[in-house]
Amino acid sequence: MDRLGLLKTLVTALDEGSLSRAAQRQGITQSAVSQQIRQLEQSLGHQLLLRTASGVRATHAGATTAQHARQLLLAYDALERDLDNVSDRLSGRYSISVGTILGRTVFGPLLLDMSQKFPDLDISMGIDDRYVDVMREGYDLAIRAGHLGNKGGYGRKIAQLDTVLVATPDYLNTHGRPDTLNDLMRLKFIRYNLETTGNTIRAKTQGVWVDTPVTLGFAASDPQVVMQALENGVGFAKAVRFLVEDKLADGSLEQILPNIELEQKDIFAVYPSQNGLDKCQNAIIDGFLDIVLKRRDTIERTKDHLRLALA
């Protein structure tokens, strides 16, 4: 006798207030739900449900049984998670939402690699720069850049990424290279429309964070269009350092005001369960952080090499 399954059926029936809705939720027939409730009542020797025209409700014995059943089901779920955590195997179906830039450059390759490494893992990745509601839209994990937004779910900061101001050398040769933050006003700023700072650049000056106004030259909601505008010499833009490091290295982009400290971009993981992240979600986040740290280490080693070369 699957007593745990019978207890789950009882809890589901009480949660739904209806045997028919409990059947739909569990994917079985209503008669099967009724049979399981009767089997549990016979096993315990008590009537557990009162059937009315409007649905079902618990008897005193049913309420007591349901209370213990919920604790047993939670304990069993915890047991499964603990056993799963001691295994290196990842499996299950996961729906992930990621922004356009990180999705194309980091999470796409990362999740493809995980799918090949773990054949029992079924991942669906949605690329969307809007702030999805993980609870309402059925996502298991969302990666958000900048801020959490006001959608449902539980979130935590997982990284802070350095940002830089960049432009093409040709644009700077034509319009001049700024020496101070105030010099940025004579250049055209290319803005990504989902940035919350508007037409300002936040930077630290003499230990104090200040918002310096800039002159808007172009704005777009698609980061790829922003990058095209940047490469076409429309103006300058703010970008996450490790995403443009290759272009800085090959000279196609040039950093503006390299000695100025800019505000970092916060990266958040958002998930639907108040119990926190499971093993697969943690593996995805750890994979992302490994990539960021490796690129940051490469950047720092490149800087050290340049310092030695110039010494």
Side-chain angles (χ1 to χ4, degrees):
M1 179 187 301
D2 179 12
R3 290 187 173 86
L4 202 61
L6 300 181
L7 292 171
K8 183 178 180 180
T9 298
L10 172 68
V11 170
T12 303
L14 289 174
D15 287 344
E16 296 293 337
S18 163
L19 297 183
S20 61
R21 288 196 296 272
Q24 291 175 358
R25 181 169 158 185
Q26 296 205 161
I28 58 179
T29 65
Q30 182 174 339
S31 61
V33 170
S34 297
Q35 182 179 358
Q36 289 182 21
I37 297 297
R38 285 196 300 271
Q39 188 175 358
L40 184 61
E41 288 175 332
Q42 292 171 0
S43 174
L44 296 175
H46 291 274
Q47 183 180 358
L48 303 177
L49 293 182
L50 293 174
R51 294 159 177 81
T52 68
S54 59
V56 295
R57 60 184 178 87
T59 63
H60 179 72
T64 301
T65 303
Q67 179 182 358
H68 286 279
R70 294 180 196 280
Q71 296 173 353
L72 289 169
L73 292 168
L74 287 173
Y76 188 78
D77 287 342
L79 169 62
E80 285 187 323
R81 286 195 301 271
D82 287 346
L83 290 176
D84 193 43
N85 285 336
V86 301
S87 169
D88 292 331
R89 182 176 62 89
L90 295 179
S91 62
R93 182 173 298 176
Y94 287 85
S95 181
I96 315 296
S97 174
V98 190
T100 304
I101 296 178
L102 288 178
R104 290 173 179 168
T105 60
V106 180
F107 282 94
L110 170 64
L111 296 179
L112 283 172
D113 181 67
M114 290 182 64
S115 294
Q116 292 178 323
K117 186 177 180 180
F118 303 102
D120 294 330
L121 191 60
D122 181 5
I123 295 179
S124 173
M125 184 180 77
I127 293 182
D128 199 330
D129 287 318
R130 68 186 178 87
Y131 291 102
V132 301
D133 190 319
V134 294
M135 301 183 76
R136 184 174 60 83
E137 298 180 51
Y139 284 105
D140 297 291
L141 180 66
I143 304 298
R144 294 176 178 166
H147 61 98
L148 275 172
N150 57 1
K151 301 295 185 180
Y154 304 86
R156 76 179 196 198
K157 186 190 298 185
I158 59 172
Q160 285 185 307
L161 304 180
D162 292 336
T163 61
V164 291
L165 301 179
V166 292
T168 62
D170 286 344
Y171 179 82
L172 295 175
N173 288 337
T174 302
H175 297 86
R177 288 167 173 77
D179 294 319
T180 67
L181 286 168
N182 290 331
D183 291 341
L184 293 174
M185 280 295 292
R186 56 185 170 82
L187 305 180
K188 296 292 187 180
F189 179 53
I190 305 170
R191 188 186 71 198
Y192 176 44
N193 273 338
L194 293 186
E195 290 282 357
T196 59
T197 54
N199 299 335
T200 61
I201 298 295
R202 173 159 288 191
K204 184 174 285 189
T205 302
Q206 296 179 345
V208 178
W209 288 102
V210 297
D211 292 322
T212 301
V214 291
T215 304
L216 181 65
F218 183 81
S221 298
D222 187 334
Q224 189 169 359
V225 175
V226 171
M227 183 59 68
Q228 289 173 348
L230 182 64
E231 293 174 346
N232 289 340
V234 173
F236 78 99
K238 185 175 73 171
V240 172
R241 178 187 289 276
F242 86 82
L243 294 177
V244 296
E245 195 63 29
D246 291 344
K247 295 183 181 298
L248 290 173
D250 66 22
S252 58
L253 290 179
E254 181 178 327
Q255 185 176 351
I256 301 171
L257 300 173
N259 295 323
I260 297 294
E261 181 182 353
L262 299 180
E263 186 178 39
Q264 293 180 312
K265 182 175 285 294
D266 295 330
I267 306 297
F268 296 91
V270 186
Y271 42 91
S273 174
Q274 62 179 344
N275 295 324
L277 298 163
D278 63 21
K279 186 172 69 172
C280 182
Q281 293 163 328
N282 274 316
I284 293 171
I285 294 171
D286 288 345
F288 164 68
L289 295 178
D290 284 344
I291 293 172
V292 171
L293 290 173
K294 285 177 182 177
R295 293 192 184 183
R296 183 174 294 168
D297 180 59
T298 301
I299 292 167
E300 293 304 321
R301 283 189 284 110
T302 301
K303 287 181 180 178
D304 290 342
H305 175 74
L306 289 173
R307 293 190 190 102
L308 290 173
L310 293 171

